[in-house]
Amino acid sequence: MAAISDLSFMYRWFKNCNLVRNLSDKYVFITGCDSGFGNLLARQLVDRGMRVLAACFTKEGAQKLQQDTSYQLQTILLDVTKTESIKAATQWASDSYQGPCSGLWALVNNAGVGLPSGPNEWLTKEDFVKVINVNLVGLIEVTLHMLPMVKKARGRVVNMSSCGGRVAVIGGGYCISKFGVEAFSDSIRRELHYFGVKVSIIEPGNFRTAILGKDGLEKHMRKLWERLPPETRESYGEEYFRIYTDNLKSTMQLADPRISKVTNSMEHAIVSRSPRIRYNPGLDAKLLYLPLAKFPTPVTDFILSRYLPRPADSV
C-alpha cells in the first residue's frame, strides 16, 4: 500500500511539474462555445486562471457564457463559414492581448455540426456542403487566419476530429469532414514543427452533445426519407428506414454524457509541456472504433455492414 501511495504521489507531482508555466498570462481562442465541449472547456480554462477568448455562434450562447464566468473570459460572435466573420474575430483576438502576453497560446477548433447525415443516396450535394463547410473548410480558414499569432507564441493548435475521422461509420459530410481534419492536422503539424508550434487532434467516441441539433434524429431521418423519389424509397423499403433510424437512435442514446472526458483531453493538449498528437477519449473509441480503423478493410466492412439493415431491393 505504501508503494502504491508513493507512486500516486510521484504521478501527481510529475503531472503538475509538466505543466506550461505562467498559465495566467496565456490566451486561448476557442470556437463553438455555445454549448458542449467548447463551453465546458472555456469554463475549465478560466478555472485554471487562463485568458479565454470564446467564440459563439449565437448571441444567447455568448451572453450566457459571459454571465456564468469571470472577466478572464471574453466572448465574440463567429460564423466559421463566413470569411468576414473570421477576419473580424482574428482582429478582435489580436486586440485582446494585455500584459506580458506575446501572441495566442492556443487555438482550439471545436465548432462542428453533425447533420445532415444518413445513407449517402438520401442526401444532396447541399447536405454534404453544409457539414463540410463548418467542420473542415471553416476550421482550415480559422487556422490560417490565426496561425501568425500562434506562431508568435510558439503555442498550440488543437483540432476537434472524431473516431469518424478514422473509420467512416455513417454517410454524409460528417466523416468526410473529419477525415479531412485528420489530413489537415497532420500536414500542418509537420510544417509548424520548426516554429515550435504543437498540433493535437482530439478523436472522441460517442458523447452526448448538441451536435445533432435540437429537432431529434427521428424527425431528421423522416425528412430525408419523405423527400426521396418514389423509386428510391421502393428500392430501400419502409423497413430499412425504420431499422436504420432505430439503430441510429440507439447509438445516440448510448452516448456517454460525461463530456469532461473530452474536455480534459483538450485541456491537457493546451496546458501540458508534452501534449499528445492524438487523444481518444471514450471507451468506445479505444475498444471499438480504433480497432475497426486498423483491421483489414474487408473485416471492417463485414462488421459495419452487419449494422446496416438489408434493403428491399437487395441481391
Side-chain angles (χ1 to χ4, degrees):
M1 288 298 293
I4 294 175
S5 178
D6 289 343
L7 285 173
S8 176
F9 172 80
M10 289 175 64
Y11 171 77
R12 291 195 302 270
W13 176 83
F14 176 76
K15 185 177 179 182
N16 290 330
C17 286
N18 200 38
L19 297 181
V20 172
R21 294 180 180 178
N22 302 319
L23 289 177
S24 61
D25 296 332
K26 290 180 167 49
Y27 283 72
V28 180
F29 187 95
I30 311 171
T31 67
C33 291
D34 297 79
S35 62
F37 302 138
N39 188 280
L40 181 57
L41 176 65
R43 297 168 189 268
Q44 287 181 206
L45 296 183
V46 167
D47 289 343
R48 274 197 173 272
M50 299 188 77
R51 307 284 180 159
V52 176
L53 307 176
C56 298
F57 183 64
T58 66
K59 185 180 294 185
E60 295 76 17
Q63 290 175 343
K64 179 73 165 60
L65 181 58
Q66 188 73 72
Q67 290 168 1
D68 292 348
T69 52
S70 71
Y71 70 93
Q72 294 166 243
L73 179 141
Q74 303 172 60
T75 59
I76 189 173
L77 297 183
L78 172 63
D79 183 343
V80 299
T81 67
K82 291 182 168 55
T83 298
E84 290 307 312
S85 181
I86 294 172
K87 286 181 178 178
T90 302
Q91 185 59 55
W92 172 79
S94 179
D95 294 341
S96 297
Y97 301 149
Q98 297 176 9
C101 174
S102 176
L104 181 65
W105 173 250
L107 165 64
V108 182
N109 285 304
N110 167 73
V113 294
L115 299 178
S117 289
N120 287 297
E121 193 180 1
W122 298 12
L123 302 170
T124 65
K125 171 189 171 182
E126 289 71 27
D127 292 331
F128 284 88
V129 169
K130 179 180 178 182
V131 176
I132 293 169
N133 273 348
V134 176
N135 294 0
L136 178 58
V137 180
L139 178 149
I140 291 171
E141 188 169 13
V142 169
T143 303
L144 295 179
H145 278 82
M146 298 278 180
L147 266 185
M149 293 186 287
V150 178
K151 285 166 62 180
K152 184 179 180 182
R154 300 188 183 277
R156 312 285 167 82
V157 177
V158 180
N159 288 335
M160 176 59 71
S161 181
S162 165
C163 283
R166 302 291 291 275
V167 57
V169 293
I170 192 170
Y174 183 77
C175 290
I176 294 171
S177 68
K178 296 304 184 181
F179 268 76
V181 169
E182 297 279 340
F184 177 68
S185 301
D186 283 345
S187 61
I188 63 166
R189 183 181 66 253
R190 294 159 192 149
E191 294 166 358
L192 297 176
H193 169 74
Y194 292 107
F195 294 102
V197 174
K198 294 180 171 62
V199 179
S200 294
I201 310 169
I202 313 297
E203 301 171 338
N206 289 326
F207 284 86
R208 200 169 298 165
T209 69
I211 195 170
L212 294 179
K214 300 177 181 178
D215 293 335
L217 277 173
E218 190 162 1
K219 184 176 180 180
H220 163 71
M221 294 305 300
R222 174 63 65 179
K223 181 179 177 182
L224 295 182
W225 176 252
E226 291 179 349
R227 76 181 186 185
L228 290 174
E231 61 270 21
T232 305
R233 286 205 301 270
E234 278 183 31
S235 70
Y236 283 91
E238 188 77 29
E239 187 76 357
Y240 186 101
F241 163 73
R242 184 186 64 78
I243 296 174
Y244 188 98
T245 302
D246 287 346
N247 287 349
L248 199 56
K249 286 167 57 181
S250 297
T251 300
M252 292 303 102
Q253 287 169 358
L254 292 172
D256 195 333
R258 294 167 293 181
I259 65 172
S260 60
K261 293 180 180 179
V262 180
T263 56
N264 288 343
S265 295
M266 300 164 83
E267 182 180 335
H268 185 273
I270 294 166
V271 305
S272 173
R273 286 192 289 180
S274 304
R276 300 173 204 159
I277 292 174
R278 283 180 167 83
Y279 294 81
N280 308 112
L283 274 180
D284 56 345
K286 298 176 179 66
L287 301 181
L288 177 61
Y289 295 113
L290 290 184
L292 281 173
K294 295 176 181 178
F295 286 157
T297 302
V299 176
T300 301
D301 287 351
F302 176 81
I303 294 171
L304 290 180
S305 65
R306 301 285 79 78
Y307 177 80
L308 294 171
R310 183 175 289 273
D313 196 20
S314 62
V315 292

